[in-house]
Amino acid sequence: MNLWNWLALGGAAVMALTIVAEIRRHTRTSVAGRRFFRHPTATPGLFVLAFFVTVALAAPLVAPYRPYQQIDIDRLADHAPSTRFLLGTDPYSRDVWSRLVYGARISLGIGALAMVVAVTIGAAVGAVAGYLRRWVDPALMRLVDIGLAMPRMFAMLVVVALWEHLAVPVFVLLIGLTGWFATSRLVRAEVLSLREREFVSAARALGAGTGRVIFRHVLPNAAAPIIVSAALGIGNVMLLEAGLSFLGLGVPSPVPSWGNMIADGWHKMAVAWWSSTFPGLAISLVVMALNAVGDALRDALDPRREAA
Amino acid sequence: MPTTRLARPLAALAALAALAGLILVAGCERPVGCTGEYCGTIVIASGGEPDILLPPVSEFSITRDVTDQLFLKLADLGPSGNTIGDEDFQPQLAERWEWDAPTTLVFHLDPRARWQDGQAVTAADVAFTYDAYTDSLVNSSFRSSLRHIAAVTTRDSLTVVFRFRQRYPEMFYDAVYHLRILPAHLLREIPRNQWRSAALGRAPVGDGPYRFVAWKAGESIELAADSTFFLGRPHLRRVIWRFTPDQQVAVTQVIAGDADAVEVLVSPDNVQRARADTNLATYPYKGSAYGYVGFNLAMPGDTTKPHPLFGDRDLRRALVMGTDRERLLRNVFGEFAKVPPGPLSQLWWIWDPEIRELPYDSGQAARLLTRTGWTDSDGDGIRDKDGHPLAFRLLLPTTSAIRRQYARLLQEQFRIAGVDVQLDEVDFSLFNERARAGRFDALLNVWNTDPTPSSGFPQTWTPAGFGRSNYGHYDNPDVDRLVDQAVASAANRDQARRAWRAAVETLNRDAPGIFLFATANVAAVHKRIVGVTIRPDSWLALLRTWRIPPDRLTDRDRVER
Amino acid sequence: MAAWLVRRLAASIAIVWAVATLTFFVIHLARGSPFLPEQSQHTDLATLDRLRREWGLDRPLPEQYVLYLRNLVRGDLGESFGLRRPVADALADAIPHTFTLAFAALLIDFAVGLALGIYQAVRERGVGDIVLGNAALFVNSMPTFWLGLVLLLVFAQRLHWFPVGGPSDPVLCPRVDSLPCLLDFAWHLTLPALTLGLVGAAGTARYQRAAMLEVIRQDYVRTARAKGLRERRVLLVHALRNALLPFITLVGLTFPFLLTGAVLVEWVYAWPGMGRLAVTAILQRDYYVVTGAALVTSAMVVLGNLIADVLYAVADPRIRVRGA
């Protein structure tokens, strides 16, 4: 870690603080915003997320080494944390900090993308089911029941077992496809109550088609459960990806992901605990932040609930 | 909140529970169990599991470790490890032998030998075994080692006659080392092509020092000592192999005291931890293994066509020259291995660091690649030619931490040279299937060699091993010729050495693989087990002489089952 | 009530059937699957013949599907090539191990979670509440396998307080048939159950705290306090009883989590349950085992939900009247 890296890291922290401050400022006037920040863990959670995202984006600036770089395989492997290697090196003499930072791109990226897929499908299905009722609703909800029957991990294991050499984009898509069921239920519940409201009948009276009503009028008002699902969903995806990569079934070597970093260092845990410990800590921190923000969002956006 | 009223009855309850627990545990009768010289259980932690316990159809060294306790050979290697002539061999199934003629060897079986179902071991069993090992339906990998034997016949129930095609120095070794004598009366009925899935292979009946007890797939194999074994009752009453997902977990179990022995400690820090452990004794011994990246010279799935990448000799040579084997070795093994000058293990007498091989020269490697048309025309860091990137998949098993480590190190070395390598990490049994079927681009393999190169080398690097150990389909008539010459002149050390050296140097020029390491093994065995002698070619060969002094028996050792 | 039960049962069976059908089609779409006769990689001829006969591997797809369903109903889930035994047998051996692990984890989960949640609710906004609350949030966010690795390293490898894995000592206790062996089993069970249970406990604690707080503020609690009942009685009898109701749903929700988390925990601790069986099978491309395990897991999740629904209906009369 040289001076520029430290400066960049400091800059990222400052940037994250600024982002959080800006968000606070802009939401001070809204009721939801005030309710959000009343949670003691909301601000730290937002900061952690902003920090990790900033660091991930600024990876080349913050990381002193490239993620694949095996620096000196016979002298610097399994090196303890020091001033040169902030979090030590792994058994292949790769800088753990650099891999952590680049791994953030992969792990956070997979989390976000898979979540987008899952939430999009879940929201669409839930909205259609809740709005159309008739036979569409029970049919779709049976589909959801089937989807909820198989634990996500097992579904992914089955898929990975049957397809060899899964490309990462397909992997992300599949994670998304296995995770939209809970969201659809939430959205459906919300839409069920919304469809009786006046703005819906007004839109219909004006001649809007079903699709338009659903996607332009109803869904935006059902945003609350969607947003909360999204926040919590990323955390679940990150944990799932970490587990699969740990088993060797996720992101392939040498691409760093927090999950396969834990796998790389597992066998040397007794003599070099840092390779596996820090990626795990990173996952825990980010998921914790996501949980905190998700909780705060749920309380902020749901007008009927009382703050606990 | 006032808690005193609730606290008192709770505390009383806790005390009562603790007292009851103490009484129960203390009052438990310690089982008296086994006492004396012939007790003891040894738990061996192993990162791999046998496929089938029938010697002719399996190549795994873990299988061999188990079957060597169940089945006897006619004679076995002595402590010197000398494979020439017959003076240094020890009688096993055969109590004595003589040469009727220069190419006729007569064995006299020990009349005391019995199969574990009571039947006597006869010469007919030996003849049957030879027939099975050389039968193409059984397709044993040891078949080519026995090609110099013309016939095996029986003179009477205890006399067997081996007739050879010609005279050569390692005749006796070939006759005895690979043949594990099988029970003809039990195997005769089973069709030869079904031996690989025979039920007898899951519950074998042998004549060795130990008898089969149980095999829990994926978990353990248990053997029990045969107290009537004619060569001396084994001291250790039971032997249990415990299977772990990989070798590193096996080492962890031994260090934690959950297992008693492990064949190889794998890495320098493991050796350090084992040495620091007061309960373990470490035993260094000459390594019989060498590891390499093998290229598939034929097209996966169609051996008549050359591999699109590795059919090109220059490409292979470039890849070998671009690999810094010394540094890779130091990362993985520290000082516990050496870079071999060819497909050799440290056990082999032909080991010679002076043997000429391709040097590590990344500059020359790069130039060679460019000269053969592989350039990075699209700037993505990976070389390409005619629109195809220089990319291949490396096959390796998940059970070996060493190979996993090498794979990742190699991946990066190749990436810097402009070669894209993706890793195929599969289970050990799947790895072996794919290797034998030739369904791979390159694989990371480790061979546990025989004490002499005469049988193993041709099997891996000449056409005699096609469909068996010669996974990469390497074939060079010059090498074949030189190997034959070397084997024939084994008695004359200098002549043989020259011939072997020429053979290895010719092979090195063809670069059928990157020879990465030749191990120097360190085993760890619990200190209470004494009399531990390890033969480098098969570490458990002398297991029946290991023992636990009666005053060092633990609870595990006293179990009577 | 009875009609409702029958409807739910029928729905559950339908869901399991749907999952089985989906699994069947997914396998057939995959290349290299042993369901396709020419793709078989294994040399065990006798087994291959039997499979060909009983599963109709060379028949057209609809026929294979019918045979597949028939075999499922008969309890035949195919053959494991890696373990050389019927999948149903392998699963039958593995399921009890997963169950004991999940059950022990559930106990820890609820014991710790309940205690923590109540304590936090009572000491609301106090130092204890904040510290424990954040600690619980942190533990709940951890990857379970990572916690497992850390616990293994510290308590088993460094301190030697617990064994490094496995369900029992293979020499002394191959079967749990005596008290010392039971204790040995419990000793081996501790770390894996703690790993699974603690992560869940953190979540339970958060949930329980919120539930308790909601109830505490309600009128009938105030009434009880006004009546002069002692604090402890108020808490334990009134508040807790009503906060416990959603617990049943919590069990239903926790169960799939346990089954999922168990996969990785079993892998780390070499615990011979369904999760480890499934992962090993994947690495060996032992397809029948993978699909069998997935199917059985789904069936267990559906069953768990059904039981949870029934318990809920029994406990809360409002549900019954609504006729959900």
Side-chain angles (χ1 to χ4, degrees), chain A residues 72-74 164 253 267, chain B residues 327 330-331 404 411 434:
Chain A
D72 187 346
I73 56 177
D74 52 355
E164 301 205 21
S253 167
H267 290 291
Chain B
R327 288 189 78 203
R330 275 201 297 275
N331 172 291
R404 286 228 315 273
Q411 204 180 22
R434 295 234 178 122

Side-chain angles (χ1 to χ4, degrees), chain A residues 153 162 266 270 276 288 295, chain C residues 141 146 149 158 206 260 287:
Chain A
M153 175 61 99
L162 300 177
W266 179 21
S276 292
M288 179 178 176
D295 280 351
Chain C
S141 311
W146 181 73
L149 289 180
R158 284 275 160 86
R206 292 170 62 216
T260 305
Y287 300 107

